C-alpha cells in the first residue's frame, strides 16, 4: 500500500496538522472537506510490518491499528493462527510471525478478526502482502562427521526415532501467552561461523539447508537466552547433542544445540541474557560451536534477522 495512504488511515494528529497547512483558499477548502468526510467514516485499519519487505525464511512483526476498540485480535497468515498483544502506549496490536524458507515469492493475505465488547459481530479485515525471495548463500559446505550420523545402524535408527518423537511431542505444546518482550539478543558474544539457509553436504550427502545460525565458540563458552521464556527441553538428543529449547509463547521457540553442559532444567523460567548452558560439540557436530535455531509454529526462521528486528 502506498505510503501516502497511511496518513489518512492513521487518523493521527500529525496527519491533520499536515493537512491544514495549505497556502491558498482552494486548498484550504479541500482540507475542510477532508476534515468533514474523513474522521467518522474513513477510520480504517492500518497495518505495518517490520521489516517493511517480507522475505522467505524471515520473521515479521505485524503492527495493527484497528478502527475501533477491540477486546482481542487474532489473525491467519500463511495457514498459521496469530494472536496479537495490545500495546496501550501506542494503541497498537502486535504479533511476531514468519515466512517459511519454502514460501515462494508472491502475494499472501493476512486475515484479521477483532472482537468487540457488547457485540457478537467481529470486525474483519484482510490485506495482501508481497513476499520477496531472500538471498541465501549457495556455498556448499563439505563436512565430515562420524558415520553414525550419516549411516546409522538399526539400533541408532531407533535412538533417532526416539529423539524425533520427543521433539514432535514437546514442539506441539504451544503456550498461548507471549513470554518474550523486547528485542532478541545474540546467545553468544562470538563471530558467526555459518549463516542460515546455506547448503551443506555431510560425508558427501546433501542435507537440507542450514536451519540455524552458528557461532564459532570453543567448548565451555556461556550460552545465554535470546529472550524471556520457559525451558521446554533440556536433554541429550541424537543429532542435536545436549539441547536446550526455550518456549517464548505463541509457538515461538529458540533452540541451542551441541552444548557441553546444561545450566537450566525443564520447566525453569529464564530471562533474556541468562546463562542456560555451556557450548560444546555434542551430537552431529564437526567440532565445538553453538548452533541456534528459531522455530515459529513448525517453521525455522533466520535467527540473525530476528536479532536485528526492533520489537516492542
Ligand atoms: Zn549449525
Amino acid at each position: 500500500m502506498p505510503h501516502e495512504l497511511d496518513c489518512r488511515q492513521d487518523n493521527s494528529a500529525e496527519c491533520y496538522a499536515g493537512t491544514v497547512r495549505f497556502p491558498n483558499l482552494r486548498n484550504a477548502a479541500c482540507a475542510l472537506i477532508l476534515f468533514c468526510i474523513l474522521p467518522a467514516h474513513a477510520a480504517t485499519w492500518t497495518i505495518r510490518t517490520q521489516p517493511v519487505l517480507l522475505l522467505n525464511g524471515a520473521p515479521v512483526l505485524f503492527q495493527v491499528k484497528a478502527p475501533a476498540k477491540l477486546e482481542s485480535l487474532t489473525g491467519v497468515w500463511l495457514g498459521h493462527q496469530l494472536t496479537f498483544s495490545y500495546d496501550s502506549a501506542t494503541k497498537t496490536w502486535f504479533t511476531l510471525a514468519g515466512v517459511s524458507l519454502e514460501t515462494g515469492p508472491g502475494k499472501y493475505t493476512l486475515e484479521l478478526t477483532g472482537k468487540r465488547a457488547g457485540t457478537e459481530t467481529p470486525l474483519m479485515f484482510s490485506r495482501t502482502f508481497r513476499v520477496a525471495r531472500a538471498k541465501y548463500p549457495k556455498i556448499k559446505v563439505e563436512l565430515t562427521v562420524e558415520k553414525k550420523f550419516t549411516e546409522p545402524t538399526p539400533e541408532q535408527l531407533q535412538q533417532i526415532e526416539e529423539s524425533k518423537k520427543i521433539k514432535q511431542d514437546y514442539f506441539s505444546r504451544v503456550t498461548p501467552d507471549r513470554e518474550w518482550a523486547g528485542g532478541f539478543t545474540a546467545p553468544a558474544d562470538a563471530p558467526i561461523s555459518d549463516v542460515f539457509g546455506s547448503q551443506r553436504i555431510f560425508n558427501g550427502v546433501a542435507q537440507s539447508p542450514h536451519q540455524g545460525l552458528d557461532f564459532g565458540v570453543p567448548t565451555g563458552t556461556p550460552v545465554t537466552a535470546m529472550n524471556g521464556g520457559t525451558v521446554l527441553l533440556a536433554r541429550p538428543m541424537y543429532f542435536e547433542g545436549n539441547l536446550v529449547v526455550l518456549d517464548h509463547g505463541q509457538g515461538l521457540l529458540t533452540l541451542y544445540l551441541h552444548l557441553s553442559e546444561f545450566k537450566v532444567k525443564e520447566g525453569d523460567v529464564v530471562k533474556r541474557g541468562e546463562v542456560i548452558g555451556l557450548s560444546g560439540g555434542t551430537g552431529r557436530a564437526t567440532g565445538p560451536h553453538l548452533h541456534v535455531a528459531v522455530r515459529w509454529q513448525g517453521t525455522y526462521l533466520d535467527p540473525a534477522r530476528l536479532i536485528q528486528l526492533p520489537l516492542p
Side-chain angles (χ1 to χ4, degrees), residues 200 210 213-214 289 291:
R200 348 185 72 199
H210 190 220
L213 184 65
D214 288 352
H289 74 283
H291 171 110

Side-chain angles (χ1 to χ4, degrees), residues 143-167 171 200 202-203 205-208 210-211 214 233 235-245 255-260 262 280-293 300:
L143 298 165
T144 310
V145 291
E146 285 177 68
K147 256 191 165 178
K148 69 172 186 177
F149 296 115
T150 51
E151 293 165 54
T153 63
E155 197 191 318
Q156 286 162 343
L157 275 173
Q158 204 185 327
Q159 291 170 19
I160 292 170
E161 204 48 44
E162 278 165 27
S163 278
K164 205 172 145 187
K165 270 190 195 143
I166 292 168
K167 283 193 288 176
F171 287 2
R200 348 185 72 199
F202 282 123
N203 299 358
V205 181
Q207 310 286 319
S208 52
H210 190 220
Q211 295 193 311
D214 288 352
L233 277 177
R235 61 176 82 180
M237 305 289 274
Y238 196 84
F239 290 111
E240 295 84 353
N242 292 331
L243 169 71
V244 169
V245 179
L255 290 75
Y256 310 77
L257 281 70
H258 314 307
L259 303 177
S260 59
F262 295 109
T282 57
R284 191 184 65 183
T286 50
H289 74 283
L290 170 66
H291 171 110
V292 292
Y300 284 98

Side-chain angles (χ1 to χ4, degrees), residues 5-12 16 34-46 65-69 123-125:
L5 286 179
D6 275 3
C7 184
R8 199 190 69 178
Q9 291 180 343
D10 243 8
N11 271 356
S12 66
Y16 288 101
L34 274 174
F35 259 114
C36 298
I37 60 168
L38 279 177
H41 306 288
T44 181
W45 299 78
T46 304
K65 280 192 179 183
K69 202 169 187 241
L123 218 49
M124 316 271 284
F125 187 70

